[in-house]
Amino acid sequence: MDLNVAIGGPQGGGIDTSSNMINRAFAEAGYNVFGVREYHSNIKGRHSYNHLRVKEDRPRSLKYPVDIIVALDADTIFEHLEDVGPGTKIIYDRSFESSDLAQARMIMRDTARRIKETLDAAKFPNTVKGAVDYMKSRGGIPMAIPFNDVVASANAEGPAARYFNTLGSAVTLSIAGLDQKFTVEAIKQVFSNKEKVVAENVRVVEAAYRYANENGLAGKPLKTLQKKQRFLITGNDGSAIGKLMGGLRLQTYYPITPASDESTILEEHEEYSFVEAEKNRLKRGGVVVVQTEDEISAVTMAQGAALTGARTSTATSGPGFSLMAEGIGFAGMDEVPLVVTLYQRGGPSTGLPTRNGQSDLLFALNTGHGEFPRIVISSGDVEECIYDAMKALNYAQRYQLPVIHLIDKNLANSTDMVPDIDLKRVQVPQTLKTVPSQDFHRYSLKTETGISEMGILGKDIFWMTGDEHDELGHVTEDTEMRDSQMRKRFKKLETALQEIPANDQAVLYGPDKADITFVTWGSQKGPILDVMEDLKQEGISANLLYLKMFMPFPSEFVKKVLGKAKLVIDVESNMLAQAAMVIKLNTGISIEKSILKYNGRHMTEDEILKAAKDIYSGKSKNEIEVLQNGA
């Protein structure tokens, strides 16, 4: 079982609900699902879709061509012309067939031009019927369904279009061979907060299965697997859960995509029962989530709370992070334990506000003026988001500095099935000073680690300023004190590099020596692990140097791995190969070959595999292979 599905329709047309039904139905039957949400930045109307994969084993990536396309509007047929291959089933409403590309006002002008060029070159009409015939010429199997009639047979009242997403999901699950009872159970879960609509959606499911059976569309019955205890969550969910597990008390934010979801999740679920002691503490005060008037306020408010001893964080995306730069510098100077979760998206400026990007790495490493230490970490899958968010709070408390946690948009909007939380990995060490002292030196130089005792506002007496300061916090421009405070602050990076476990800095997956050594970070981790298995089937060995911590940087480990490598290929979702630049800066090692993608869409297993094979075989002479998949 290895099923790839794309469900597309208008933004705001129930695409998430539709994919949620499919995910939950397969999960109820014991299967594993993984998916990525691609959506347009307008509020309503333009094309959005979810790409998901179902396997018995846990899927880590997505593939093209898909096995099933579900088109909830005419635009989806046009937008996904190239995503079909031999055997792809194309589910769409029969009434769409006469729709003309020239009348598709919600398709972007440049996209419409490319679609027209494709259809004209292949000599197919610029209609949905022509597009479907084009797909058929590529091996696709059209399945035109009278959406209105099927829905009307179940619910005579109300607009039929309201149920198109349920119908499309149910037909997909029927084609896949999933028992109807799992789809009905999924409906009950998805609409658990809207009990009034459960019955009418169940009737649509029954009608969809009936239609599929009567018209020979239903697939061979799929076996039921043993159901396991897992969390079906996104990267946004994972980071929120991790922060709660890490003892978060205050989160600030100003609304921005894709970061806002994390804060709203915290608002909705300020108590989790994973850690009993933490649950009891939360009952006394809970977690405060504050939507501020802008990002400047968000970052400074978080710092104010942190100085009272509360574990605090803020979350934002590129443009908001820019506004936080001065505040982050203040945290660097005054050694404030601040966590900033930076959700990366396509820039510069507003750029691609709802699309993927990994182009803020260098910015995260250099945010603010002057020089100050920070810890910069990134997560590569939803499960890592949980534990990394918790660790970010611990690092901030332990080392008293800004911690920037990078999560790319692709990962933020990935849906994954995460095993039960491992409570042995949940640690919230107390590092705050607890005994008041009349002779308290907040920035004491008497430290071998660079970490001074941290005071608490309201309990201890110390001074704070954006200027350079002495051990008490008083402003100074004395040359020796300046040098001493700079060395003290930067000493923390050496301490952190020694104390943070090696596996939280960088990991080598696969054999020590291999024909290809991939280097990556963030959400490419899963696809490359799958590509390594694909290459192994073809007799090509591969390993992966997976980077998690960029400051301080694990230079010795990286040099050791790359020193043994035959062919190194860097894989990133940006144009400049920023991680490769960081490697060069810290180790002196240049990586000559890169696979990059910067069109804002998720990387898929098939496109990385093809590019890697082209480089390995010598078919490609390019130093950089640019990937372009995705609608």
Side-chain angles (χ1 to χ4, degrees), residues 128-144:
V128 165
K129 181 66 169 59
V132 168
D133 287 342
Y134 172 81
M135 292 170 157
K136 191 175 178 181
S137 73
R138 293 168 59 93
I141 303 172
M143 293 182 170

Side-chain angles (χ1 to χ4, degrees), residues 344 347-348 357-363 366 519 521 550 570-585 589-599 603 623-627:
Q344 298 177 92
Q358 287 185 316
S359 51
D360 292 336
L361 173 60
L362 297 179
F363 186 32
N366 296 285
V519 177
W521 61 293
F550 290 92
D570 175 62
V571 185
E572 302 184 54
S573 286
N574 56 54
M575 190 172 184
L576 299 178
Q578 295 191 13
M581 295 169 73
V582 176
I583 290 173
K584 176 71 180 291
L585 181 68
I589 297 174
S590 298
I591 298 177
E592 304 299 333
K593 298 291 185 181
S594 295
I595 297 173
L596 304 176
K597 188 169 187 174
Y598 40 86
N599 68 3
M603 281 196 187
E623 291 187 351
I624 299 173
E625 287 292 314
V626 179
L627 307 183

Side-chain angles (χ1 to χ4, degrees), residues 369-387:
H369 52 277
E371 301 165 313
F372 58 91
R374 70 199 77 186
I375 291 178
V376 178
I377 59 173
S378 78
S379 296
D381 59 41
V382 173
E383 188 173 3
E384 282 185 21
C385 287
I386 298 173
Y387 298 104

